[in-house]
Amino acid sequence: MSTATVSTIRDRFLRSHERPVWQERPTWAGQGLKLVVILAMIVAVGYPFLLAIGTSLSSKAELAANGGYVLIPDHPTLEAYRVVLNGGVVTRAAMVSIGVTTVGTALSLLCTVCLAYGLSRPGTFAGKPLLLLVVGTFLFTPGIIPNYLVVQQLGMIDTYGAMIFPIMLNAFNVIVVRGFFQGIPEELHEAARLDGAGDFTVLWRIVLPLSKAVLAVVGLFYAVAYWNSFFNAMLYINDPDKLPLQVVLRGFVLEGDTFNAKAMGVSVLPATTSLSMAVLILAVLPIIVVYPFLQKYFVKGVLTGAIKA
């Protein structure tokens, strides 16, 4: 056997056993670059949040001495949180946000699961046109005026329903859940049919217990959207008692609204910046508390549904 032949065979053998780039052992330079990027992201995200916490715990004198913002207060105080929670404005708005988020998330999950299950089953009447209609909403979205006219014609102006129904169904979440449902083995459906189970029984007893991951992720998507939504409330809500927390926060931080000292039952209010940061922390706290419990479902739920869609 010639030397050229041996070299060719050896090269083919080496190429056949080469690993893809993403399976190669990372280099020290690559690991160092990843570490630098992660640390930079932690600082970019964590520093503003810690600054908000520190400022909310600071007194007027300390804020004045440090230019209005404090990272680590020397003498932390909860006065700003006490004033905010005792005033009634923020607590009432928080209850509105909690109610809208809870009811809206439940209705959104119900509609998403029903529509996604129908679109995932072969032989569904008008399944393809409905799927095209859902996908078409990615390209053609209604403007503010058509949305307002629809809500007005339905008689939902100045009602809690105006903060739920216009955003109750998300096309992306429907596609993700549909893809996840399609990944469930068909043999399970056939076995249930042989036992005399109908569509509702199959969905409730078989499909939903196997879809906890994707439902947790999609439910979190909906909950975050409802909790952070303020634009619909600004458009459709006229009664100040029905405004959600995000609108109150926006008005207080951006428009310079202040609390009334007499209404708070105090003689002197804390610094406006401290009150603003206290409201900000209270607004983001629920999502921060819930997210770690659902984080483990993200890769399994979203990637599986998206890949199979």
Side-chain angles (χ1 to χ4, degrees):
M1 184 178 296
S2 64
T3 304
T5 305
V6 173
S7 300
T8 302
I9 296 175
R10 182 185 61 190
D11 293 341
R12 290 179 179 176
F13 177 80
L14 292 176
R15 284 197 299 269
S16 64
H17 287 75
E18 285 180 353
R19 293 182 299 181
V21 176
W22 58 84
Q23 292 182 356
E24 295 291 338
R25 185 182 298 276
T27 61
W28 287 104
Q31 292 288 83
L33 180 60
K34 291 179 182 179
L35 179 60
V36 170
V37 172
I38 292 175
L39 290 177
M41 294 178 64
I42 291 175
V43 172
V45 175
Y47 178 77
F49 185 69
L50 294 177
L51 186 64
I53 295 177
T55 303
S56 68
L57 298 175
S58 302
S59 61
K60 274 187 176 181
E62 197 166 7
L63 290 175
N66 291 273
Y69 295 94
V70 177
L71 181 61
I72 302 177
D74 295 330
H75 304 287
T77 174
L78 296 175
E79 184 64 20
Y81 290 94
R82 187 183 71 82
V83 170
V84 166
L85 295 177
N86 288 342
V89 177
V90 175
T91 52
R92 182 176 61 247
M95 294 304 298
V96 172
S97 292
I98 292 173
V100 169
T101 301
T102 303
V103 176
T105 302
L107 292 176
S108 294
L109 281 176
L110 176 63
C111 295
T112 300
V113 166
C114 293
L115 179 58
Y117 181 72
L119 295 177
S120 68
R121 302 305 304 147
T124 300
F125 175 75
K128 290 185 177 180
L130 285 176
L131 180 59
L132 291 176
L133 185 63
V134 171
V135 175
T137 59
F138 285 113
L139 303 175
F140 307 100
T141 56
I144 297 176
I145 295 177
N147 274 331
Y148 186 88
L149 293 177
V150 170
V151 173
Q152 186 181 47
Q153 290 296 321
L154 293 176
M156 292 191 300
I157 297 295
D158 210 22
T159 65
Y160 295 120
M163 293 184 283
I164 296 177
F165 292 106
I167 58 174
M168 190 170 62
L169 199 60
N170 183 278
F172 173 79
N173 293 337
V174 172
I175 297 300
V176 170
V177 177
R178 171 182 175 271
F180 194 94
F181 286 169
Q182 287 180 322
I184 297 177
E186 186 63 28
E187 290 78 7
L188 295 177
H189 294 273
E190 295 176 355
R193 297 291 185 186
L194 291 177
D195 291 338
D199 288 328
F200 180 79
T201 303
V202 173
L203 176 62
W204 182 256
R205 296 290 184 86
I206 297 177
V207 176
L208 292 184
L210 296 175
S211 307
K212 294 180 181 179
V214 71
L215 293 181
V217 174
V218 171
L220 183 60
F221 286 166
Y222 279 124
V224 171
Y226 281 113
W227 182 263
N228 291 333
S229 178
F230 67 91
F231 190 66
N232 283 349
M234 293 176 60
L235 285 178
Y236 309 129
I237 303 301
N238 301 318
D239 187 355
D241 293 338
K242 296 181 180 180
L243 292 177
L245 181 60
Q246 302 301 334
V247 177
V248 174
L249 172 63
R250 181 183 182 277
F252 187 71
V253 174
L254 298 182
E255 299 176 5
D257 292 348
T258 56
F259 292 104
N260 187 294
K262 293 182 179 180
M264 299 297 184
V266 295
S267 57
V268 180
L269 286 173
T272 303
T273 308
S274 295
L275 292 173
S276 300
M277 294 303 169
V279 177
L280 177 63
I281 297 301
L282 292 175
V284 302
L285 188 62
I287 301 300
I288 294 177
V289 172
V290 171
Y291 179 79
F293 296 98
L294 300 179
Q295 185 181 11
K296 62 181 179 180
Y297 296 111
F298 264 66
V299 174
K300 181 179 178 181
V302 174
L303 290 185
T304 303
I307 291 172
K308 293 182 180 298

